[in-house]
């Protein structure tokens, strides 16, 4: 169960730096979208799997039927709820699209922030489903329909980029502090470094095999039907970096230790 929890944490990718580099280099938009789309789906899926695995690690029992019901409720229910919330806020943003009102742009930005928090809190607090998938679904609905109604598109982008920067900085700061504490406590042996390198190499090999097997599906899903080449697969393999979400889940495990069921040296 501890291995399953770790696998769920490692499955979340965060290709922000990779996507930024690809855009600067003028890489294929299809490749960039595929890497971003994988990150969005992986984040939600990894949290659902992590929640189930971590609950079992803490002592909760699941049958096969219970796991299937839990996954369907967490995934499908969250996506449906996110679509509904996104449609509501999309309509609200269109109603606030009065270019003669000085506060219209501020109201629209505030509505997008409220949409994200409402999606997360409603999914997690009311329906006990995946807040990430619900938020992503509502965001996709807004991204598809709200842009023609926005008063100041640049302000919207700048504010959300600032929020993203602050949240990523906070998570990486906390993760760096915990990593520094662990490294200076002399609890990490040379064998641990060897295991860490081996885990990374095996994860890259598994990721490469998975992407090679998914080439026909990725080609079919591309907008223009273009074939995904081997160099594209290699870039996506290299671009599967772990980031903010995995660090946030790891921080939770290191502090909670599954209610005392994990030894401190394991967490």
């Amino acid at each position: 169960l501890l291995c399953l929890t770790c696998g769920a944490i490692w499955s979340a990718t965060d290709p922000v730096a990779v996507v930024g580099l690809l855009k600067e280099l003028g890489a294929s938009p299809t490749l960039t979208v595929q890497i971003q789309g994988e990150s969005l789906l992986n984040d939600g899926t990894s949290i659902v799997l992590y929640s189930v695995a971590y609950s079992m690690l803490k002592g909760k029992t699941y049958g096969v039927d219970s796991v299937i019901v839990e996954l369907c409720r967490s995934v499908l229910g969250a996506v449906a709820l996110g679509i509904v919330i996104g449609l509501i806020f999309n309509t609200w943003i269109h109603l606030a699209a009065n270019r003669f009102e000085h506060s219209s742009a501020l109201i629209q930005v505030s509505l997008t922030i409220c949409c994200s928090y409402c999606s997360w809190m409603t999914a997690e607090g009311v329906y006990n489903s995946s807040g990430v998938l619900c938020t992503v679904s509502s965001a996709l609905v807004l991204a598809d329909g709200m842009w023609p109604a926005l008063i100041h598109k640049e302000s919207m982008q700048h504010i959300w980029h600032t929020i993203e920067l602050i949240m990523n900085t906070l998570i990486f700061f906390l993760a760096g502090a915990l990593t520094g504490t662990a490294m200076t406590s002399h609890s990490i042996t040379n064998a641990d470094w060897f295991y860490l390198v081996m885990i990374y190499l095996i994860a890259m090999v598994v990721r490469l095999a998975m992407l090679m097997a998914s080439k026909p599906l990725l080609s079919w899903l591309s907008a223009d039907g273009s074939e995904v080449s081997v160099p594209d697969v290699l870039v996506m393999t290299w671009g599967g970096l772990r980031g903010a979400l995995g660090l946030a889940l790891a921080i939770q495990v290191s502090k909670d230790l599954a209610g005392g069921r994990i030894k401190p040296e394991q967490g």
Side-chain angles (χ1 to χ4, degrees), residues 151-186:
I151 304 299
H152 293 298
K153 297 181 177 63
E154 294 80 7
S155 299
M156 182 73 72
Q157 291 175 331
H158 289 323
I159 290 174
W160 274 103
H161 286 162
T162 303
I163 294 174
E164 178 186 13
L165 174 63
I166 293 173
M167 295 297 105
N168 279 328
T169 301
L170 179 61
I171 291 176
F172 277 95
F173 176 79
L174 293 174
L178 292 174
T179 302
T181 302
M183 293 181 66
T184 56
S185 64
H186 304 291

Side-chain angles (χ1 to χ4, degrees), residues 82-132:
I83 292 174
V84 172
I85 294 176
L87 290 173
I88 293 173
F89 276 89
N90 183 55
T91 304
W92 203 345
I93 289 172
H94 278 75
L95 293 175
N98 188 348
R99 299 184 181 274
F100 299 101
E101 287 287 343
H102 178 70
S103 59
S104 293
L106 179 61
I107 292 174
Q108 289 182 327
V109 173
S110 301
L111 286 174
T112 59
I113 298 175
C114 290
C115 179
S116 63
Y117 277 97
C118 286
S119 300
W120 176 274
M121 291 188 294
T122 304
E124 292 282 346
V126 178
Y127 295 101
N128 196 26
S129 58
S130 173
V132 172

Side-chain angles (χ1 to χ4, degrees), residues 54 58 256-262:
Y54 197 55
K58 294 171 71 173
D256 183 57
L257 296 178
R261 292 175 177 267
I262 302 177

Side-chain angles (χ1 to χ4, degrees), residues 15 19 22-23 27-41 218 221-223 236:
V19 170
L22 291 176
K23 289 181 178 179
S28 168
T30 301
L31 176 61
T32 304
V33 169
Q34 287 176 341
I35 294 177
Q36 288 178 316
E38 179 205 11
S39 175
L40 291 175
L41 292 176
L218 294 175
L221 290 175
S222 61
M236 285 189 282

